[in-house]
Amino acid sequence: MDRKTVGMITSYPGVTQSDWLWHQTPHYFGVWGNIQMLIHHPKPDFLLMYQYDFPGAPQEQPWLERLLSKKSPKQLDIQPNLRGVSKEQIVYLVREPPFDKTLENRKTGYAMAQQYCGYISGPDDFAPVPEYMPAIWYLGNLFEELDQAPPPEKARSCSWITSGISRTENHRKRLDFLKLLQDNDVQFDLYGRNLPQWAKAPGELRGKWHGMAPYYYNLAIENYADNDWYVSEKLWDSLLAWCLPIYYGGPAADKLLPPGSFLRLPSMDRKGLEFIQETIASPDAWHAAKDAIAEARQIVLHKLNLLNWMSDFTKKFS
């Protein structure tokens, strides 16, 4: 097989490890089908620009301000980062939600990407190719374990893994709902980072599996639920841990996953609170959804998987 290498650049400062996405394949060293994911390869065949903020463009997120703090954006030349990959074999994927306050910056990023990239997509109607985000997940398990192992033993009812981020109205709405649930003694276990002092939580988890796998249900509440494209790892992680997600998000999930593989949280208010209370009172809904969850997991692992998406993309150039 003529295997193609895929390099990657991103503006996420934490994504520096050589083995990025290697847990999303059963093969060693990032191999999936006809590709190998080697983000630091000096001369890859294809290049993935993953949530990349172009130097000189208005920035959506504060991380790039830190990244560029020692250099003027005008002094930076992007060409060395492209490593000689031809334009048609460079993919630009946007991952962050299309919040209203960052929309103009987002459009500018798409316009700049057209100078360098042959394929440009994002989970919004403003992208040259509006598209669902290929799936990544944040469980540390081996691929074979997720793919083949039976459901883990379920010991508790419901969990929620979230953060205390409050940058946008959507984030603040989620925190308000969290407070509503806790003030009304809804029985769920909360985990997360930078949570407010009033939140009753033991703290952050090193591995999300530990805060999901022992639970029948998991609250999967998106930062953004206002278009037909956006769906994130919050749903994939929950399903891969064999939870029945109680999901708040846009309609994208309905188009990607089989019916019955997740429950729709109707709203983040008292109606939503009552829905959660009624659902988690017994494991009946989880047992009824078990087969649909199993089917959804296979779709996430083998079809929606970002490595599979990249493999399919590269086949266009065979």
Side-chain angles (χ1 to χ4, degrees):
M1 178 186 295
D2 183 18
R3 185 167 289 136
K4 303 298 183 182
T5 56
V6 180
M8 190 267 284
I9 57 174
T10 180
S11 292
Y12 288 137
V15 185
T16 59
Q17 64 270 28
S18 297
D19 60 347
W20 186 68
L21 288 190
W22 286 10
H23 67 287
Q24 292 200 193
T25 171
H27 307 292
Y28 289 125
F29 309 120
V31 169
W32 179 279
N34 63 313
I35 67 166
Q36 185 174 14
M37 192 78 204
L38 297 171
I39 70 171
H40 300 303
H41 195 288
K43 293 185 178 180
D45 299 297
F46 293 82
L47 184 68
L48 171 61
M49 302 179 78
Y50 190 72
Q51 191 62 39
Y52 181 76
D53 297 317
F54 288 94
Q59 304 306 331
E60 296 189 16
Q61 301 293 342
W63 66 68
L64 202 63
E65 295 175 10
R66 298 192 297 270
L67 191 65
L68 302 178
S69 60
K70 296 182 180 180
K71 291 185 179 181
S72 167
K74 294 181 180 178
Q75 296 174 339
L76 295 179
D77 179 11
I78 192 178
Q79 288 297 335
N81 293 337
L82 304 183
R83 301 175 229 173
V85 179
S86 62
K87 177 178 179 179
E88 63 270 17
Q89 294 184 199
I90 298 178
V91 173
Y92 182 84
L93 296 184
V94 170
R95 177 163 186 82
E96 291 299 310
F99 295 123
D100 289 342
K101 71 175 186 177
T102 61
L103 200 52
E104 291 308 312
N105 295 348
R106 195 179 189 95
K107 292 177 181 178
T108 300
Y110 286 140
M112 295 187 74
Q114 291 178 1
Q115 302 175 47
Y116 305 100
C117 309
Y119 188 91
I120 305 164
S121 78
D124 59 74
D125 291 325
F126 306 99
V129 181
E131 191 172 44
Y132 314 112
M133 296 183 297
I136 64 171
W137 51 87
Y138 291 95
L139 305 176
N141 311 58
L142 293 174
F143 186 94
E144 296 95 321
E145 180 183 351
L146 295 175
D147 190 31
Q148 301 172 17
E153 180 182 357
K154 299 295 183 179
R156 296 179 70 85
S157 178
C158 183
S159 69
W160 188 2
I161 302 175
T162 188
S163 75
I165 293 173
S166 58
R167 286 195 305 265
T168 69
E169 182 180 350
N170 300 53
H171 291 122
R172 292 187 287 273
K173 182 179 179 182
R174 186 174 60 188
L175 287 172
D176 289 343
F177 187 55
L178 168 59
K179 193 169 192 311
L180 178 67
L181 296 184
Q182 291 198 331
D183 287 349
N184 285 271
D185 296 321
V186 177
Q187 297 303 301
F188 69 98
D189 291 343
L190 174 68
Y191 304 95
R193 56 186 171 85
N194 301 322
L195 290 165
Q197 290 186 349
W198 51 259
K200 306 178 187 74
E204 190 173 352
L205 292 171
R206 184 174 180 85
K208 292 178 74 174
W209 177 264
H210 305 297
M212 291 183 172
Y215 296 86
Y216 287 101
Y217 305 99
N218 173 256
L219 301 182
I221 298 181
E222 299 283 13
N223 297 330
Y224 183 86
D226 299 326
N227 74 8
D228 294 337
W229 300 106
Y230 187 78
V231 57
S232 79
E233 78 283 347
K234 292 178 177 62
L235 187 54
W236 317 142
D237 290 342
S238 183
L239 287 164
L240 292 179
W242 281 100
C243 297
L244 177 57
I246 300 175
Y247 181 68
Y248 185 83
D254 299 298
K255 302 171 185 177
L256 296 172
L257 297 175
S261 59
F262 62 95
L263 303 177
R264 279 278 177 192
L265 181 67
S267 53
M268 285 197 287
D269 54 18
R270 186 159 292 277
K271 181 179 178 181
L273 180 154
E274 293 171 354
F275 178 85
I276 293 170
Q277 284 180 316
E278 181 179 353
T279 301
I280 68 176
S282 82
D284 292 350
W286 182 87
H287 286 288
K290 188 176 177 182
D291 289 345
I293 294 171
E295 182 183 354
R297 295 176 79 259
Q298 291 300 304
I299 292 172
V300 175
L301 288 168
H302 295 278
K303 182 179 179 182
L304 303 182
N305 188 340
L306 175 54
L307 286 176
N308 184 61
W309 188 96
M310 281 301 311
S311 177
D312 286 345
F313 179 83
T314 65
K315 290 174 184 176
K316 300 173 185 177
F317 299 87
S318 300

